Amino acid sequence: DPDNDLPQHVHAFQTAEALIGRFLHRDGLALRAEAGVEQLFNAAELAALPEQVRARLEGATLAELYPHIMEWDWLPLVGLIHDLGKVIALRDYGELPQWAVVGDTFPVGCAFSDSNEFSQRQFYANNPDAKQYPGLGLYTLRCGLEQLLMSWGHDEYLARMLERGNNNLPPEAVYIVRFHSFYPWHTPKGGIRGYSEFASDHDWKMLPLLRALQKADLYSKSRELPSFEAVRAQYSALIDKYFPGGRIGLARPTA
């Protein structure tokens, strides 16, 4: 049963050794930039943010928080492609097991946060990292999330393909792809944010962007279907703009 067994496999098999030795060696779209970023959090979440982060978000809009971003049409495009990394479940792209493709992501090589979904089931007790890497483990305080080895899956695969590929996406797009399944950080259960000890100032600043995508991800279904032809035309134009030649370029992993 994927719903019951998958978290058990993910938490037990995703280790620092696996990341280093197995996976990392494989080779209407208008956005309201004037929208207030506080709308991306509920009252309890806002209250739980560090004081300096909360002060930065208070009354701010996306355009004000990220003044260097002149165009925002790449963000809906990221919404379209952010799960394309799941091709690694297919034979031509490695046929990886489900626990190495999907599921909420978390850092390996450090203590497992209680903010992870299903943490109460103690699946992680079967993971060798649980005893080998207590506390900060391989990392240092406030080292930045991009310095962490994240559990392998479609997120990290696609982020690496975008980093290596020929595209015009901003760095923020790759960041969002890499951490969009990092729920214990951007949308923690119980309101207790996991792994904040590793977060840098840059990560706190990027948090609203992660929340912006999350608001349009898994639980944002609509009963009203847009015109297929209109949507196709809009996204085709975005793909041509940000991916020269109209190709995203997903490489086949090498053993």
Side-chain angles (χ1 to χ4, degrees):
D1 181 348
D3 291 332
N4 293 324
D5 295 342
L6 181 60
Q8 181 174 359
H9 292 162
V10 170
H11 292 176
F13 295 153
Q14 292 275 6
T15 66
E17 180 181 0
L19 261 289
I20 297 170
R22 178 176 182 183
F23 302 123
L24 298 189
H25 288 170
R26 294 178 175 270
D27 242 8
L29 302 180
L31 183 77
R32 292 177 54 227
E34 75 281 2
V37 294
E38 290 176 286
Q39 301 174 26
L40 301 172
F41 304 86
N42 62 38
E45 290 170 334
L46 281 172
L49 291 173
E51 183 177 353
Q52 67 273 23
V53 176
R54 192 166 62 250
R56 177 190 296 164
L57 301 184
E58 186 175 359
T61 66
L62 286 173
E64 291 169 343
L65 196 59
Y66 311 101
H68 62 287
I69 299 178
M70 298 293 101
E71 294 183 291
W72 286 92
D73 55 357
W74 56 270
L75 187 54
L77 181 59
V78 169
L80 176 70
I81 69 172
H82 74 282
D83 275 342
L84 282 182
K86 292 177 181 178
V87 296
I88 57 178
L90 303 178
R91 182 176 303 169
D92 288 346
Y93 291 89
E95 202 171 11
L96 298 185
Q98 286 289 297
W99 64 263
V101 178
V102 296
D104 293 359
T105 57
F106 57 92
V108 300
C110 63
F112 191 71
S113 172
D114 290 340
S115 295
N116 283 291
E117 194 66 43
F118 297 109
S119 61
Q120 74 280 3
R121 304 283 290 276
Q122 295 296 306
F123 298 143
Y124 192 72
N126 298 317
N127 190 315
D129 279 8
K131 295 181 179 179
Q132 187 172 357
Y133 300 108
L136 297 179
L138 297 172
Y139 317 110
T140 57
L141 193 66
R142 293 185 291 278
C143 62
L145 301 184
E146 291 174 296
Q147 301 303 312
L148 306 179
L149 286 170
M150 299 299 294
S151 54
W152 184 261
H154 68 282
D155 318 66
E156 185 64 25
Y157 167 75
L158 182 57
R160 286 171 178 263
M161 291 299 100
L162 294 176
E163 286 175 332
R164 298 173 185 176
N166 179 26
N167 62 73
N168 301 315
L169 291 171
E172 288 82 1
V174 178
Y175 185 100
I176 292 172
V177 168
R178 173 165 280 126
F179 295 114
H180 77 266
S181 295
F182 191 15
Y183 276 80
W185 163 249
H186 66 67
T187 312
K189 69 172 187 177
I192 301 175
R193 197 170 306 282
Y195 305 102
S196 59
E197 64 270 27
F198 299 121
S200 65
D201 184 66
H202 175 69
D203 296 311
W204 287 109
K205 187 173 181 179
M206 293 294 291
L207 183 58
L209 281 183
L210 281 172
R211 290 303 298 263
L213 180 67
Q214 185 269 334
K215 290 292 185 180
D217 197 3
L218 293 177
Y219 311 108
S220 58
K221 305 298 184 292
S222 172
R223 294 180 179 273
E224 298 182 8
L225 294 178
S227 164
F228 173 76
E229 291 303 326
V231 170
R232 180 176 181 176
Q234 289 177 310
Y235 278 110
S236 293
L238 291 177
I239 291 172
D240 289 339
K241 177 178 179 178
Y242 288 100
F243 293 95
R247 298 182 63 86
I248 295 177
L250 299 180
R252 289 170 173 79
T254 56

